[in-house]
Amino acid sequence: MPFPRHRVARGLLALSLASGGLFTAGVSPSAASPGSGPTAVVALGDSYISGEAGRWQGNSLTKTGNRNGTDRAWTGTAYDPSRVYGTTAANGCHRSDGSEVRSAGAIADALINLACSGATTQNVFRASNGGVSFKGEAPQADQLAAVARSHDVETVILSIGGNDLGFADIIRKCATDYIVWYSYCHDDQQPVVDSKIDGVMASVGKSVDEIRAVMSAAGYSSSDYRVILQSYPSPIPRGADNRYSESGWSRTNTGGCPFWNKDSDWARDSLVPQISNRLRAVATAKGAQFMDLRDMFQGREVCAKASQQVSSTVPASATTSEWARWIDQNETQGPIQENMHPNHYGQQALGRCLSLMNAKPTGDFSCRNTAGAGASGMYLTGL
């Protein structure tokens, strides 16, 4: 029995989008509206949702070839990051083929990734309201406007605020204090975070407002779609959970996690929870759902005792390998911007979290992993 024509059309559209395209011929803006046309879930924000570091399956010390199977950009003769990041390998947005929204499964006809590595809240706002283009692309809210006119957008998932707070600078400072100065970073970085966080959260709130303004202008009511705001996972473990000694050079040269125990504990138990709690407050104030990711990498972080590096005798595996990219300070394998981000396994886990959230039309939830399981072992707990 042949498929109904509209189902075939939707299937072809989904295949086109999965291949990297945004729009498909034959689907005009006038043909779609809230409740009709191809459904879509749209990802907006920064590197933690764009798919930065999706090139990697675990971490390996091998610097040549496919790095023991961890480097998905290996062609057999050379390295081609576009195999993972598509056309965004060139501009650095690094939207990977396994990014959160692309790994969420069949939750909509179109899974659209508009996020860009390095983006701040200002790159989300509409250009007419203070938004700024980034890496050659229009502000993300303006890109969303085009999608909202051509698709039935059901969910917008947002990860933003980390670059406004200066995540990269904090990581750099903490690593430098470990490698060069033999001093702690938490004591001087916490005041920096405290001085910025109110302004950053106000901007995150404005990002949600911008999304709602775009959707309203496209004819959507607030009940026609959902906004889900997510937090950030910690890519490094607590000091007690680190498999490498705090003294010597193993954390730096072997593990790729050059941080003191006290700084690791601060990041895991103070900084990440502080940001998560503030983001949840923004979500509540703006009528968005909240997905808490603070614990999702527990035991899967870089240098965690419960995980291990990939080697010639230990294959890459979602059940045993690390789920975040280590610090490759000398860029012996890939660009430094990939450091400390969810890798391919981590992004598949994030996709499962999104899929589970998609089945929860209301409420705030924490997404966590099951020890010894891959992405299928992710589960939600109510907050």
Side-chain angles (χ1 to χ4, degrees):
M1 179 176 178
F3 289 109
R5 292 183 64 189
H6 72 278
R7 290 188 62 188
V8 174
R10 283 192 174 192
L12 290 173
L13 174 69
L15 285 173
S16 174
L17 287 160
S19 300
L22 184 59
F23 301 109
T24 298
V27 181
S28 65
S30 60
S33 62
S36 67
T39 59
V41 174
V42 184
L44 300 181
D46 55 26
S47 55
Y48 271 72
I49 199 168
S50 76
E52 183 67 83
R55 172 178 174 175
W56 305 97
Q57 298 180 134
N59 300 304
S60 168
L61 292 168
T62 300
K63 299 178 182 178
T64 59
N66 67 5
R67 342 278 192 177
N68 295 126
T70 63
D71 192 349
R72 300 172 60 236
W74 176 245
T75 66
T77 57
Y79 301 104
D80 179 11
S82 68
R83 289 165 62 98
V84 176
Y85 301 125
T87 58
T88 66
N91 72 356
C93 279
H94 284 186
R95 298 186 190 107
S96 75
D97 56 357
S99 65
E100 180 177 329
V101 71
R102 293 283 293 277
S103 294
I107 60 174
D109 296 324
L111 306 174
I112 300 175
N113 187 355
L114 301 179
C116 185
S117 181
T120 65
T121 51
Q122 201 172 32
N123 305 129
V124 174
F125 307 158
R126 292 167 295 167
S128 62
N129 203 23
V132 176
S133 297
F134 186 58
K135 296 186 177 179
E137 298 184 357
Q140 292 177 30
D142 292 327
Q143 296 182 57
L144 174 64
V147 176
R149 292 191 299 267
S150 60
H151 295 73
D152 175 15
V153 176
E154 297 183 332
T155 302
V156 178
I157 175 82
L158 174 66
S159 169
I160 203 69
N163 292 316
D164 298 68
L165 275 174
F167 269 1
D169 291 337
I170 293 172
I171 291 171
R172 187 181 304 111
K173 180 67 166 59
C174 291
T176 300
D177 281 357
Y178 180 88
I179 297 170
V180 178
W181 302 116
Y182 302 97
S183 63
Y184 296 125
C185 71
H186 66 273
D187 50 353
D188 55 9
Q189 290 303 297
Q190 184 64 61
V192 173
V193 172
D194 290 341
S195 70
K196 292 181 177 180
I197 198 162
D198 286 347
V200 170
M201 292 303 148
S203 293
V204 172
K206 180 179 176 180
S207 297
V208 177
D209 291 341
E210 291 289 288
I211 291 169
R212 296 207 182 280
V214 162
M215 299 299 285
S216 178
Y220 291 72
S221 68
S222 60
S223 61
D224 288 328
Y225 68 98
R226 289 192 281 165
V227 176
I228 301 174
L229 179 64
Q230 66 184 42
S231 64
Y232 297 91
S234 174
I236 59 173
R238 297 177 178 89
D241 294 332
N242 197 307
R243 65 178 179 266
Y244 299 103
S245 171
E246 188 176 23
S247 60
W249 290 100
S250 59
R251 285 193 181 182
T252 301
N253 296 333
T254 305
C257 57
F259 306 103
W260 297 109
N261 285 348
K262 285 187 176 181
D263 289 338
S264 299
D265 292 346
W266 166 71
R268 182 67 179 83
D269 293 327
S270 295
L271 178 62
V272 169
Q274 178 185 14
I275 296 168
S276 295
N277 292 339
R278 293 296 300 269
L279 286 170
R280 186 185 182 191
V282 171
T284 299
K286 299 298 181 180
Q289 285 184 270
F290 178 65
M291 183 163 67
D292 193 342
L293 302 177
R294 74 181 75 184
D295 296 318
M296 74 158 290
F297 280 178
Q298 180 63 40
R300 311 306 183 90
E301 308 99 330
V302 177
C303 296
K305 288 179 179 178
S307 297
Q308 55 188 320
Q309 287 183 349
V310 180
S311 68
S312 59
T313 58
V314 179
S317 166
T319 62
T320 60
S321 302
E322 297 160 330
W323 284 7
R325 182 64 177 157
W326 63 6
I327 290 184
D328 181 11
Q329 60 179 329
N330 296 317
E331 296 186 294
T332 58
Q333 295 186 353
I336 201 166
Q337 75 180 70
E338 294 176 319
N339 293 353
M340 295 285 104
H341 287 86
N343 63 22
H344 184 61
Y345 295 139
Q347 288 169 27
Q348 289 180 317
L350 284 165
R352 177 59 178 164
C353 292
L354 176 55
S355 177
L356 293 170
M357 280 293 294
N358 187 67
K360 302 285 187 180
T362 61
D364 298 339
F365 296 87
S366 171
C367 194
R368 305 182 182 192
N369 75 76
T370 300
S376 62
M378 302 306 293
Y379 64 95
L380 298 179
T381 57
L383 295 176

